[in-house]
Amino acid sequence: MKKVHLVHEIHCSPEAFWKLYFDPEFTTALITQAVKVDDFKILKFAETEREIHRISTGRPRINAPAAIQKVIGDNFSYTDEVRFDKSTQILRWQIRLSTFTDKTRNEGVLRVEPIGPDRIRRIADAEVEARIFGMGGIMESGMEKQMQEGWGAGAEFTNRWIASHRPAHEPT
């Protein structure tokens, strides 16, 4: 099992971040363009007074050794389930892979901290695990690398999106 800690600066307030995070147009653009996931779909979106619950799916473009690619197959996909607790402002996620579903785990928490006017620190703490004989360590390292790259690209994309969608009269 690997623990992954990701920290990125995003150029908006906490309220604006969460609003953007759950915006379907932004989410689709982020996942398909920055994170490079094909066939992305939001399967469920539900909001109550206490929480926001979203389930999505997609086929990530995997940059893995040929042996891993062969084992996971051509139709490799994932399902991502997130729950955002409005009172604690903490999001919890769990990603289920289409291959080795019962032998892999990718889950964590996401929170934000204000660090200045229209600036936040986005903090994610995750655990990735692959209990697959002879390949577990390689898969865990690959999952960690994909997270590092995807979340980094996502932070850059988010900041570009915010800058390009900010009204002209609003300060940067």
Side-chain angles (χ1 to χ4, degrees), residues 68-129:
I68 300 290
Q69 296 249 5
K70 186 174 180 174
V71 170
I72 63 175
D74 294 335
N75 294 318
F76 178 74
S77 65
Y78 71 89
T79 301
D80 180 25
E81 183 169 3
V82 301
R83 290 186 181 276
F84 177 66
D85 184 311
K86 292 179 176 182
S87 64
T88 63
Q89 298 284 291
I90 293 176
L91 180 134
R92 297 183 188 286
W93 82 82
Q94 183 177 37
I95 296 175
R96 291 180 192 86
L97 305 180
S98 61
T99 307
F100 301 115
T101 304
D102 59 337
K103 296 182 183 287
T104 58
R105 189 168 60 91
N106 178 335
E107 58 190 39
V109 297
L110 174 65
R111 61 189 169 83
V112 300
E113 297 175 346
I115 56 173
D118 287 327
R119 295 277 193 269
I120 60 168
R121 185 175 295 120
R122 182 187 69 182
I123 304 162
D125 288 298
E127 291 182 356
V128 295
E129 183 175 25

Side-chain angles (χ1 to χ4, degrees), residues 27-37 61 153 157 160-161:
T27 300
T28 300
L30 170 73
I31 299 300
T32 59
Q33 295 172 34
V35 185
K36 308 291 187 206
V37 171
R61 297 177 203 163
F157 180 90
R160 284 193 310 272
W161 180 282

Side-chain angles (χ1 to χ4, degrees), residues 4-6 8 143-153:
V4 183
H5 181 72
L6 304 163
H8 298 97
M143 290 163 68
E144 177 184 27
K145 182 180 180 203
Q146 292 274 132
M147 285 183 76
Q148 295 280 358
E149 291 173 357
W151 285 64

Side-chain angles (χ1 to χ4, degrees), residues 44-54 83-87:
K44 176 182 180 179
F45 182 88
E47 184 170 1
T48 66
E49 288 180 21
R50 296 175 60 195
E51 78 170 4
I52 299 174
H53 180 217
R54 181 178 70 197
R83 290 186 181 276
F84 177 66
D85 184 311
K86 292 179 176 182
S87 64

